[in-house]
Amino acid sequence: LTQAEKAAVVTIWTKAANQADAIGAESLERLFSSYPQTKTYFPHFDLSQGSAQLRGHGSKVMNAVGEAVKNIDDIRGTLAKLSELHAYILRVDPVNFKLLSHCILCSIAARYPTDFTPEVHAAWDKFLSSVSFVLTEKYR
Amino acid sequence: RLLIVYPWTQRFFDSFGNLSSPTAIVGNPKVRAHGKKVLTSFGEAVKNLENLKATYSKLSELHCEKLHVDPENFRLLGNILIIVLAAHFTKDFTPACQATWQKLVGVVAHALAHKY
């Protein structure tokens, strides 16, 4: 990520941080509605709209994104434990990270339309790709 | 946005002139005109949902045999369109709305790839 891209990521996060939980829950809702196959990873969850588990999990996801933003120069180190969790325990197929990233972008675009310029969009797409890459790089 | 977020897609648009920066792309009249062409075609799809393969038959041949576009690009553009809709319609672009549009861009991409 270039300096400009890092700045673009941080700018949005500064606004999004205090709505992080809601954005997380909404992104998951978008994921499960648009891509029902992703629900197969959550047979143990109540996935109905507004469910406590959905909100809790959305929170978890966005906290991790937030940590990556705060440590944008060392995403690999920051997400090392999460990377291992996904590789050895969760084993979510890598294709799903693209799907969730897309849904996070939709949630951000819907909430911050004027801030979400093409350049900011590109920066976030790249950033979430980096996060996804780190989370799947220990798979094999 | 497609040309900015996924710059490798510029490979299909050598004749469009200056695509050297986001500012150049956003201000480029050929990009604007082509966006209009593509969205107008999308409109045709929406009007012919029962018969997409036939509606897009010629366009599919064109994209395959003349334009040599990898169908993966249809998927990329479809998702960009969805993000543009999200920014445009904000809270009206609910998860349910998005799910419907994901299906639409999916079947349009499929119809465009059909003649390959």
Side-chain angles (χ1 to χ4, degrees), chain A residues 87-135:
Chain A
Y88 306 127
I89 316 282
L90 302 178
R91 292 168 291 184
V92 173
D93 192 286
V95 73
N96 295 289
F97 292 88
K98 272 195 182 168
L99 303 181
L100 179 56
S101 296
H102 172 65
C103 291
I104 292 174
L105 291 181
C106 285
S107 297
I108 292 177
R111 281 164 194 266
Y112 311 104
T114 38
D115 296 295
F116 202 66
T117 62
E119 292 99 317
V120 170
H121 175 171
W124 266 86
D125 192 293
K126 239 178 137 176
F127 169 66
L128 291 177
S129 290
S130 302
V131 170
S132 302
F133 180 78
V134 165
L135 289 178

Side-chain angles (χ1 to χ4, degrees), chain A residues 14-67:
Chain A
T14 308
K15 299 195 177 196
N18 53 356
Q19 284 187 62
D21 290 1
I23 293 173
E26 182 188 319
S27 300
L28 287 175
E29 236 193 284
R30 290 182 182 281
L31 182 71
F32 297 137
S33 301
S34 288
Y35 311 107
Q37 68 273 21
T38 55
K39 293 191 283 186
T40 57
Y41 292 97
F42 300 92
H44 52 302
F45 264 31
D46 165 14
L47 294 177
S48 56
Q49 203 204 21
S51 89
Q53 284 182 307
L54 206 57
R55 276 180 290 122
H57 199 68
S59 236
K60 245 189 212 175
V61 170
M62 292 315 280
N63 273 344
V65 170
E67 283 304 299

Side-chain angles (χ1 to χ4, degrees), chain B residues 72-91:
Chain B
E72 174 61 16
N73 292 285
F74 308 145
R75 204 188 61 80
L76 288 180
L77 181 57
N79 279 338
I80 290 279
L81 176 60
I82 289 201
I83 289 176
V84 169
L85 291 175
H88 191 82
F89 290 103
T90 64
K91 46 186 168 35

Side-chain angles (χ1 to χ4, degrees), chain B residues 18-30:
Chain B
N18 188 5
L19 299 178
S20 59
S21 70
T23 313
I25 291 170
V26 167
N28 186 313
K30 289 191 173 178

Side-chain angles (χ1 to χ4, degrees), chain B residues 83-116:
Chain B
I83 289 176
V84 169
L85 291 175
H88 191 82
F89 290 103
T90 64
K91 46 186 168 35
D92 287 338
F93 198 66
T94 60
C97 190
Q98 178 187 348
T100 304
W101 272 83
Q102 296 285 170
K103 271 176 143 179
L104 175 64
V105 302
V107 299
V108 167
H110 187 77
L112 267 177
H114 191 244
K115 280 301 174 65
Y116 281 60

